[in-house]
Amino acid sequence: MMVVRPVRPADLPALERLAGLATPSLTNLPAHRDRLEERIARSRQSFGREVDFPGDEHYTFVLEDLERDEVVGTATLRAEAGAREAYYTYRQETLIHASQQLNVRREVQTLSLSHEVSETTQLCALSLDPRYRGTSAESLLRRSRLMFIAQYPERFAEVLAMAFPGYLDEQGESPFWNSVGRHFFVRDYHDINYLAGVRSKSFIAEVMPQFPLYLALLTPQARAAIGREHPAHEAAMAEMLAEGFMRSRHVDLFDAGPVIKGERNRLHTFRRAAWHPVRVRPAHALPDAEPAMVANQRLADFRCVVARYALSPTGQLMLSPEHAELLGVEEGRAVLAAPLTLPSNGEEEAGFDEGSCDAYSTDCRGRPGRTAEDRS
């Protein structure tokens, strides 16, 4: 029996372990005890605060395996990514260099410093025990945050964003960082990634170049890494593209990992979620049905589980006594349910926000642009 709930002070050792297990190490989940204690305290304050619009609230959740009495995953929501300080990314753009006298017209790909993502709600800091990867527990941890947003929309932005770890080579080095950031910080990627997690990120604007970076001047390895997620996160990317997120033109400053964005009302979990009154029935008496995420209506005592989407003829959601107790609901109380299974992600993965990349000479990963035949 797995449940997602808000983090507690007693979960600190588990968070330390999960931060150390993250592959690769996450900027927003540093393996630093003091920072993790602050994260827990900040989360508890956010859950207890009356909120009318998104601000600097952080909501941290954990995934608990009740049979093992063990916290095996964690994930966070930042209500507004840039509430305290600007959230910087690189935005992929195209500049046109032309001369009528020389009869020359060139489209040149660039990266420009941007803080447009600052106004989004960020889904971040997800780490899961390797034993549970590829299971329904992983989807529950990742997408239960959407169930929470659906219940408290005033606490979050209309646009949600996720930044995925970027590509690292076989030596664990970031080709993009070695071609760009190292020249300004004289530190390796892992050092700067850790510093960004335990200190203020104001140094980014202070040290990183303010002018556009021309991709043609970067190494081929760096260009190939732009917008490419770490191999360990390819399945997570596929799931969120199936959810309805789209690749954006923004990438991470350090490793050029992709940033995906989605309007929350267009995401499948929001569109397919529905309220149902609870009907408690013995587990053996429940009919077969597809799995669903089921969440209660309690803010600070939020709970989300995977259960059968078994509806009675009158629209009641039939839950076992164990699930009803875990959610803290009794018969007649309403719960929010959404199918756990997502549709095929073929169309979503081909999409991009802010216009199509086909008008550019390179796509949003810096590779040669696709033709109509490529998409067929």
Side-chain angles (χ1 to χ4, degrees):
M1 186 87 62
M2 312 292 295
V3 61
V4 171
R5 59 166 174 80
V7 70
R8 302 168 182 161
D11 299 324
L12 177 59
L15 259 60
E16 288 185 283
R17 184 178 69 87
L18 291 166
L21 289 173
T23 305
S25 298
L26 301 178
T27 305
N28 47 34
L29 189 64
H32 189 285
R33 190 176 185 87
D34 291 345
R35 298 290 84 79
L36 294 174
E37 284 182 333
E38 292 175 3
R39 175 183 294 271
I40 293 172
R42 189 172 181 182
S43 177
R44 289 170 64 82
Q45 292 171 0
S46 298
F47 276 103
R49 185 183 302 171
E50 292 187 7
V51 174
D52 295 321
F53 51 87
D56 65 351
E57 298 83 23
H58 283 204
Y59 305 89
T60 296
F61 303 86
V62 296
L63 174 69
E64 185 175 5
D65 186 333
L66 297 175
E67 293 182 0
R68 293 182 174 178
D69 190 24
E70 183 181 0
V71 169
V72 297
T74 183
T76 294
L77 284 170
R78 296 175 64 183
E80 187 174 55
R84 288 193 173 183
E85 55 188 18
Y87 183 89
Y88 286 99
T89 62
Y90 275 129
R91 178 185 166 92
Q92 302 179 76
E93 299 177 347
T94 299
L95 298 181
I96 297 177
H97 292 248
S99 170
Q100 291 184 347
Q101 293 182 352
L102 299 178
N103 192 29
V104 172
R105 184 183 184 279
R106 296 282 294 177
E107 292 183 353
V108 182
Q109 307 304 308
T110 66
L111 295 175
S112 296
L113 204 61
S114 168
H115 50 75
E116 294 175 23
V117 181
S118 294
E119 296 182 352
T120 66
T121 287
Q122 187 181 30
L123 287 74
C124 61
L126 187 148
S127 181
L128 181 68
D129 187 301
R131 295 171 294 176
Y132 297 83
R133 290 175 187 163
T135 69
S136 61
E138 182 173 12
S139 294
L140 173 65
L141 176 61
R142 182 174 295 116
R143 294 171 51 219
S144 61
R145 293 173 291 181
L146 303 180
M147 298 287 282
F148 185 77
I149 295 172
Q151 294 197 49
Y152 306 100
E154 71 281 358
R155 291 175 175 261
F156 303 99
E158 292 290 337
V159 177
L160 312 180
M162 293 181 69
F164 281 84
Y167 173 77
L168 304 180
D169 62 22
E170 294 180 354
Q171 290 72 42
E173 295 288 328
S174 167
F176 182 81
W177 175 259
N178 289 339
S179 186
V180 179
R182 180 184 287 275
H183 298 295
F184 300 92
F185 287 92
V186 199
R187 290 177 179 266
D188 68 26
Y189 167 75
H190 297 286
D191 284 346
I192 204 69
N193 196 44
Y194 180 76
L195 286 174
V198 300
R199 298 182 182 179
S200 169
K201 294 184 180 180
S202 60
F203 66 80
I204 294 174
E206 296 168 353
V207 181
M208 291 298 281
Q210 302 296 312
F211 300 102
L213 300 177
Y214 284 74
L215 267 60
L217 302 181
L218 305 183
T219 65
Q221 295 83 356
R223 292 198 299 271
I226 295 173
R228 181 179 176 184
E229 65 272 17
H230 189 281
H233 293 259
E234 290 175 352
M237 171 69 83
E239 180 175 31
M240 298 316 286
L241 293 176
E243 175 68 61
F245 283 84
M246 295 189 292
R247 294 182 182 269
S248 75
R249 301 195 187 282
H250 296 270
V251 298
D252 183 78
L253 285 178
F254 298 155
D255 58 20
V259 176
I260 62 174
K261 295 164 68 176
E263 296 180 23
R264 66 190 190 195
N265 291 332
R266 299 180 64 179
L267 302 180
H268 286 287
T269 294
F270 289 84
R271 289 161 50 189
R272 302 167 74 191
W275 291 99
H276 300 282
V278 168
R279 186 175 183 179
V280 180
R281 290 292 181 269
H284 66 81
L286 297 180
D288 290 334
E290 64 176 321
M293 296 180 291
V294 182
N296 63 10
Q297 299 185 63
R298 299 181 179 181
L299 175 62
D301 292 319
F302 175 80
R303 299 289 185 274
C304 190
V305 301
V306 173
R308 299 178 191 176
Y309 209 154
L311 297 179
S312 70
T314 55
Q316 294 170 306
L317 181 65
M318 292 183 278
L319 292 177
S320 67
E322 294 79 11
H323 277 131
E325 181 180 3
L326 185 55
L327 292 169
V329 297
E330 55 191 20
E331 192 153 305
R333 179 74 66 175
V335 293
L336 185 67
L340 185 67
T341 304
L342 289 168
S344 171
N345 66 341
E347 293 185 4
E348 287 82 359
E349 189 167 5
F352 294 87
D353 74 342
E354 306 164 36
S356 169
C357 287
D358 295 328
Y360 293 77
S361 59
T362 63
D363 72 8
C364 286
R365 290 191 182 188
R367 301 174 305 190
R370 297 171 298 172
T371 64
E373 291 77 8
D374 293 327
R375 296 194 301 273
S376 62

